[in-house]
Amino acid sequence: MALIADVIETAKIQGADQGVVDCLAGVLESGNDAERCLAVQALGRAGGQQASDLLITALRDGDPDVRIDAARAIAQAHVGEAIPTLLANLREDPVGEAKTEYVKTLRALGAVDATDLLCTLVVARGDNAGIDWEDDLSGWDDWLDVQREAVMALGDIAPPDKGAMAVSAIVESLQDIDGQTLWVEATGSLARLGASGLATLTDLAKGASPLNRKRIATALTAASDQGQALELAKQLAADPDATVRIAAIGTAATLGNTDVARAAMDDTAPQVRIAALQALGEADIPTLKKALGDIAPDVRIAACQAVVTSGAQHAGLGLIGRLERALRKGSAKLLAALVEAAAVAEPDRAGPVLEDITNHQATDPVVRCAALRALTGLRRAKTVDLLVEAAGDARQDVRLAAITGLAGLSAETTPLALRARAALAAAVAGELVKPPADWAPEEDTVLELPPRKGAQAAGEDRGNVLLDDEGNVVERDTPEAATAADEAVADEPAEADPGPTSTLGAILDFKPTAETVADDGPELDDADLEFLEMAGHRPGRRKVSPEAKVAAHLDVRRLAARTVGSLALQEHVEPLVLATDDRDEELCVAALDALAQLGDAGCELSSAEDALLRHAQARASGPKRKAIEALAHLPSDAAGGAIADALRNGSDAVRVVALKAAATRGDSDADFTELARDGARAVRLAAAEALAAKHDPAVVPDLLDVALAEEAVHKFAVVDLLAPFGGQEVDTALVSWVGGADRRRRLVALEMLGRRLAQAPQYAVT
């Protein structure tokens, strides 16, 4: 690595840009295989003539992985001068994986000179054409991968004067009965090969399977001759198979023709009519009317969706009448679609109807949710009242739609929005939906541990509750009852055994006697005894229904608490503080998280300080982390002390939050440099982020230390953090690692240099 060491001073003198490229050149000359691969990957992002020359040289490297990475880097950097070397390698390099990469790169470079060679590889391995391959054919044939890539490449690079030759080669590959399936790649390339390719697709469609005809129709979207492609699409739109017709309709629409879709509105298959309606985009009134009156419900639903997508009012569609008629016998899915479409097409007339639908208790929940969403958009005077009423519904999806609607209204400043804000505040405080009179909080599940090892074997009975498979308690028999039962059985006369009546019966009725049973029983070790102790004993616990649902009043509080944080409204602080004192941990965590969001948005949290400090001392990690996150927005000494205590004594997850809170406050005495050396991975990364936020060049060595720690798991994260820093200092340090004796540092530095060049092109050579 002597050559690399020589460029370190060069990097310091003439700038890190040129020094980095010189460093990578040194790695290509004297590094090992892994280092050369990383150097090539970095050079693909460096730019400049020197990097291009080095990449072309790397195509002749002795290691196939280096050659493969060089080809990829050349495609990325678009080094056209590499085409002759790539063509030579495609012939001479015996490694199949490398050949596949050369074909991809030639395609990316638009190498028309590769057409002849690619045509050869599409048809056969080219052994007679001077193309070298590895001798070992015991495994996967790499030519199949090369063939697939060559087929796709011909559609992009074959010049017009060699289009017929390319088409012929592709068709021959499709006709190989022993070959692989190439219809997807072949149809795409043929469509891009101009008139000859499209004519071939027309011929192939006549005898192809429905799946391949669909592939032909799909491939026409990328055709070079759109006029000829459209004619073929029109033919396929009349195909007997519905999937082919659907693909042809979409292709015609992509090519700018909607006549095919309009004609398909009379198709016999509902899925084709739906595809036609979707292909039309903004359909006209007659087409929408036709679709809304379709016999198939799915077509009518698609028409409603088209109305909603257009966002335009269409009083002539008669959606209100259709909705009222569908209320008697329509499906819930159709009714929901009609509700949303009516609110868009006829908002004034739809309002009263939607209010009645929402108020009616027999309304399907799916329809009710759609009506609530539509009413939220209509902003009617009764909207808030209806949303409040729906918030207490027995169905969670209805409650969610109601809370979401209230949140949507609260974002405005109208009188209706003020009422919605107040409703949300009441929901968080538990005043919007009252708990039932007989409701009591569920007690936590308490597990009864099985008896200690040896207890059952010793005859101890600790009174564990026995449960059957249904979870019901099984009464234990007393010793007296068991003895009496045994005596009763012993007193009963034994029934005579009639014996088997056939040979088969004798075989099936065989009962082992004392002579047929081994004298010695199985030997049981400690593990067996421990398992036997558990037999008949299960942890005693409360039986819980798998379909248990959250009480409406509690669920509404949770939903509202999760919602109000994003609204950034000061008036929601007090209700959230009240919610943090609830015994329901999920509600408490949601409220604390919302307070942290409000703090991020600049709301004043001083009234919440006592509650936050109390939860910062909690044992549970969830409330503790959220409380500390919110305390970051309070300037008091008590808040700072709680954060510092959590940073010293908390779990890793808590310490990460506390570290970020300390960085947010900016007045903490936390030693971020020391924390960047912490044993916890997440803590190190959080400390690195805090150090980088200082924008002080003095922290660069500390950040680089974080990149090296624990098998360099944070190397790319550190590169991202170093992006705002000047290039020379960082790149010089990485170059020095490459020139050092530590192999691990060299590899990490090369990976970081590649990432840095990709993210910071201003540091690269131009």
Side-chain angles (χ1 to χ4, degrees):
M1 303 295 289
L3 181 59
I4 299 176
D6 293 338
V7 304
I8 296 177
E9 290 301 321
T10 304
K12 294 178 180 178
I13 296 173
Q14 64 185 26
D17 296 347
Q18 187 61 46
V20 168
V21 177
D22 290 342
C23 172
L24 297 174
V27 174
L28 285 180
E29 182 174 329
S30 56
N32 59 34
D33 294 346
E35 292 169 353
R36 297 200 307 279
C37 284
L38 292 173
V40 164
Q41 294 169 18
L43 285 169
R45 306 180 181 107
Q49 187 60 47
Q50 182 184 3
S52 299
D53 295 340
L54 290 170
L55 290 174
I56 295 173
T57 302
L59 286 173
R60 293 297 189 178
D61 193 277
D63 184 74
D65 289 330
V66 177
R67 300 195 298 271
I68 290 171
D69 282 335
R72 291 172 179 165
I74 285 170
Q76 182 180 16
H78 207 78
V79 183
E81 306 95 300
I83 291 176
T85 307
L86 288 167
L87 289 172
N89 278 20
L90 185 56
R91 287 183 177 277
E92 301 167 5
D93 194 334
V95 179
E97 185 180 354
K99 287 183 182 292
T100 302
E101 208 60 48
Y102 299 149
V103 174
K104 292 180 181 178
T105 303
L106 288 168
R107 179 187 180 188
L109 297 177
V112 295
D113 295 339
T115 302
D116 293 343
L117 184 54
L118 293 179
C119 287
T120 301
L121 289 170
V122 164
V123 176
R125 292 168 56 88
D127 295 320
N128 299 329
I131 300 176
D132 295 333
W133 294 88
E134 292 178 302
D135 295 332
D136 184 15
L137 298 178
S138 59
W140 173 258
D141 189 355
D142 290 322
W143 169 68
L144 296 174
D145 296 329
V146 175
Q147 181 193 36
R148 186 179 299 276
E149 292 297 332
V151 168
M152 292 188 290
L154 282 177
D156 291 332
I157 67 176
D161 57 333
K162 295 186 178 180
M165 179 176 65
V167 169
S168 176
I170 293 173
V171 172
E172 186 174 349
S173 69
L174 289 176
Q175 295 173 345
D176 184 1
I177 58 175
D178 296 323
Q180 60 180 329
T181 301
L182 293 169
W183 274 89
V184 174
E185 297 81 5
T187 53
S189 288
L190 289 172
R192 299 193 300 272
L193 283 171
S196 59
L198 289 168
T200 302
L201 285 177
T202 303
D203 295 337
L204 290 173
K206 297 175 182 178
S209 66
L211 176 59
N212 289 332
R213 295 199 302 274
K214 177 183 175 182
R215 288 167 172 167
I216 291 172
T218 303
L220 294 175
T221 56
S224 56
D225 187 341
Q226 294 190 357
Q228 190 174 353
L230 183 58
E231 292 302 319
L232 179 54
K234 290 179 179 179
Q235 296 178 25
L236 293 173
D239 193 273
D241 189 86
T243 61
V244 179
R245 299 200 298 275
I246 291 173
I249 291 168
T251 295
T254 302
L255 296 175
N257 182 285
T258 57
D259 294 338
V260 175
R262 294 185 189 281
M265 289 298 299
D266 295 323
D267 197 279
T268 56
Q271 63 268 34
V272 177
R273 299 198 296 274
I274 293 173
L277 188 61
Q278 293 171 346
L280 287 173
E282 295 186 6
D284 53 27
I285 298 297
T287 303
L288 287 175
K289 277 188 175 181
K290 184 176 184 179
L292 288 169
D294 197 280
I295 191 174
D298 289 342
V299 179
R300 300 203 294 274
I301 291 172
C304 292
Q305 293 170 347
V307 173
V308 174
T309 302
S310 69
Q313 297 186 18
H314 298 294
L317 293 176
L319 281 168
I320 300 299
R322 298 178 190 276
L323 174 59
E324 292 173 341
R325 290 191 296 272
L327 286 171
R328 292 190 292 270
K329 57 181 179 179
S331 67
K333 188 176 179 181
L334 175 60
L335 279 170
L338 285 169
V339 163
E340 295 179 349
V344 173
E346 303 178 60
D348 295 334
R349 293 185 58 200
V353 177
L354 297 184
E355 290 173 356
D356 292 339
I357 291 174
T358 304
N359 281 326
H360 203 290
Q361 294 301 316
T363 302
D364 187 276
V366 174
V367 181
R368 196 173 187 196
C369 289
L372 290 172
R373 291 192 296 268
L375 285 171
T376 301
L378 293 178
R379 299 324 197 242
R380 292 179 60 82
K382 295 182 179 180
T383 297
V384 172
D385 295 333
L386 292 170
L387 292 174
V388 168
E389 181 181 355
D393 195 89
R395 294 266 307 200
Q396 188 181 49
D397 52 353
V398 177
R399 297 196 295 267
L400 178 59
I403 295 299
T404 304
L406 289 172
L409 294 175
S410 299
E412 302 173 357
T413 57
T414 61
L416 194 66
L418 297 179
R419 293 174 56 202
R421 294 179 184 182
L424 277 179
V428 174
E431 299 171 356
L432 188 68
V433 180
K434 298 291 185 180
D438 58 346
W439 183 83
E442 296 183 359
E443 296 182 359
D444 297 334
T445 299
V446 178
L447 297 180
E448 293 183 11
L449 299 178
R452 63 174 180 233
K453 182 177 180 180
Q456 186 178 1
E460 295 181 11
D461 188 355
R462 296 183 178 272
N464 295 64
V465 176
L466 294 180
L467 304 178
D468 61 14
D469 291 337
E470 300 297 329
N472 302 311
V473 176
V474 178
E475 297 293 339
R476 294 174 177 269
D477 290 334
T478 63
E480 294 78 7
T483 302
D486 292 341
E487 292 175 354
V489 172
D491 293 341
E492 294 178 1
E495 296 182 1
D497 186 359
T501 58
S502 64
T503 303
L504 179 60
I507 295 173
L508 297 178
D509 198 41
F510 171 75
K511 296 182 178 62
T513 62
E515 291 77 8
T516 62
V517 179
D519 293 335
D520 298 330
E523 294 183 2
L524 303 178
D525 57 17
D526 291 343
D528 296 325
L529 292 174
E530 183 178 0
F531 179 77
L532 289 175
E533 286 177 7
M534 300 173 61
H537 290 75
R538 297 184 182 181
R541 65 178 67 190
R542 177 173 44 84
K543 184 178 179 182
V544 179
S545 170
E547 299 181 357
K549 299 178 181 179
V550 181
H553 71 280
L554 179 57
D555 189 49
V556 165
R557 296 190 71 185
R558 292 176 180 176
L559 294 173
R562 296 190 188 105
T563 302
V564 297
S566 60
L567 298 177
L569 298 173
Q570 183 68 42
E571 59 205 81
H572 289 149
V573 172
E574 291 302 328
L576 288 170
V577 173
L578 181 63
T580 61
D581 289 332
D582 195 271
R583 64 175 295 170
D584 182 68
E585 183 175 333
E586 188 173 340
L587 172 59
C588 176
V589 171
L592 291 169
D593 183 46
L595 286 172
Q597 293 182 55
L598 294 180
D600 293 337
C603 293
E604 174 60 45
L605 300 183
S606 57
S607 60
E609 183 169 359
D610 291 341
L612 295 176
L613 290 173
R614 185 169 60 255
H615 286 289
Q617 303 300 321
R619 291 185 177 182
S621 176
K624 189 181 187 75
R625 286 187 286 114
K626 293 303 179 183
I628 293 170
E629 187 177 344
L631 284 172
H633 304 289
L634 290 172
S636 67
D637 293 338
I643 293 171
D645 180 68
L647 190 54
R648 288 191 303 269
N649 305 317
S651 63
D652 290 345
V654 171
R655 291 169 64 213
V656 169
V657 176
L659 196 157
K660 293 180 178 179
T664 300
R665 285 171 56 91
D667 59 349
S668 173
D669 295 331
D671 189 349
F672 297 128
T673 302
E674 184 63 29
L675 288 168
R677 303 187 185 96
D678 195 89
R681 180 182 300 181
V683 174
R684 288 199 309 274
L685 181 58
E689 292 172 349
L691 288 172
K694 296 180 178 180
H695 301 290
D696 184 359
V699 305
V700 170
D702 297 319
L703 293 176
L704 292 175
D705 288 343
V706 175
L708 282 174
E710 195 182 349
E711 301 302 323
V713 293
H714 292 317
K715 56 181 178 290
F716 293 138
V718 170
V719 172
D720 297 341
L721 294 174
L722 287 170
F725 291 82
Q728 182 170 347
E729 183 173 0
V730 176
D731 293 343
T732 300
L734 294 177
V735 167
S736 67
W737 287 7
V738 176
D742 189 334
R743 181 175 181 273
R744 175 170 163 271
R745 283 198 176 203
R746 292 202 303 271
L747 292 173
V748 172
L750 288 168
E751 289 184 279
M752 293 178 68
L753 282 172
R755 175 86 165 212
R756 188 162 172 80
L757 289 169
Q759 294 187 349
Q762 67 271 24
Y763 300 146
V765 178
T766 57

